[in-house]
Amino acid sequence: MAVEQEAPARQAVIAPAPGRLELVRAFVNTLDIEAGTDELSSSAALATWLRERGLEGPAPSPATEAELSQAIEMREAIREVLLTHVSGQHQAASVPATSATVASGPAASTLAELRSTAVGLPTRLTITDDGTVQTMPAGQGTAYGLAALLLIAADAATTGTWERLKVCSADDCRWAFYDRSPARSGCWCSMAVCGSRAKSRAFRRRAAGHR
């Protein structure tokens, strides 16, 4: 019961990510680990989620079971990448930088999953009214939506907002949040919830060690 009460409270106090990056944050958070719920519970649910956010392209089509699996694999791979935005920052802050201690990036398996997904997603080049060249998603349905999400991530990397998108370092949470702290040092989705829990656990460990 406590989890059911705390999950909405956690969500209520977390500010959205800027602009369209919020779509990536929302995509990762379709799985609520703490509550045990998944918005992408079926191919129909995936199609609905994309449609409600304008991510199905000009020619909507039903999602297949294979596309559902692809979307979930991509979601979890992105979650692992966002976790490195926390662990990498913490390691860099606490350990002198050497070739042996510089924080590594995502695991090879995570990168392989994202690369495999990206290779199969259609994109196209377009020219805006002011002459700017942009890469846009192509195709339709799920392929269009997943391509759009990865392109949003790519754009965030160029604007400096990508590394501020993180997932909570609590193993039983992993909720995606946008770190607005000046030092980019946030590691919990909410200090009031996961941060408080982590501090309580640390206090109990220290107290047990002094007995």
Side-chain angles (χ1 to χ4, degrees):
M1 183 63 68
V3 168
E4 293 177 358
Q5 293 173 344
E6 288 175 349
R10 173 198 61 196
Q11 296 177 33
V13 299
I14 300 175
R20 288 176 62 80
L21 187 57
E22 174 62 12
L23 291 171
V24 179
R25 191 182 80 91
F27 178 64
V28 174
N29 288 341
T30 53
L31 175 65
D32 190 327
I33 294 172
E34 191 174 44
T37 59
D38 192 340
E39 294 181 59
L40 307 185
S41 57
S42 66
S43 57
L46 169 61
T48 298
W49 192 91
L50 293 172
R51 182 177 66 253
E52 290 177 346
R53 289 158 183 80
L55 293 172
E56 60 178 0
S61 63
T64 66
E65 289 299 317
E67 287 174 329
L68 174 63
S69 296
Q70 181 185 40
I72 290 174
E73 288 176 0
M74 179 175 132
R75 178 187 68 187
E76 297 312 307
I78 293 175
R79 190 189 310 279
E80 291 302 314
V81 170
L82 300 188
L83 183 59
T84 69
H85 293 175
V86 176
S87 60
Q89 182 272 325
H90 277 207
Q91 184 172 357
S94 60
V95 180
T98 68
S99 59
T101 60
V102 171
S104 61
S109 58
T110 297
L111 293 175
E113 289 177 3
L114 281 176
R115 286 167 178 157
S116 176
T117 298
V119 166
L121 296 178
T123 59
R124 62 185 175 85
L125 293 175
T126 186
I127 310 297
T128 65
D129 291 340
D130 64 359
T132 301
V133 181
Q134 290 185 342
T135 305
M136 301 289 292
Q140 59 187 14
T142 301
Y144 180 98
L146 297 185
L149 290 168
L150 288 183
L151 289 175
I152 291 169
D155 184 63
T158 65
T159 60
T161 57
W162 178 239
E163 289 190 352
R164 284 187 178 270
L165 190 62
K166 306 176 178 182
V167 294
C168 184
S169 58
D171 292 339
D172 56 354
C173 180
R174 295 292 192 254
W175 189 259
F177 70 99
Y178 188 76
D179 182 7
R180 295 181 179 274
S181 65
R184 304 189 180 200
S185 58
C187 58
W188 297 298
C189 63
S190 167
M191 279 299 300
V193 181
C194 289
S196 178
R197 291 180 193 165
K199 289 184 176 182
S200 295
R201 285 193 291 264
F203 174 81
R204 289 194 295 269
R205 285 195 298 268
R206 288 195 299 269
H210 288 304
R211 291 176 184 174

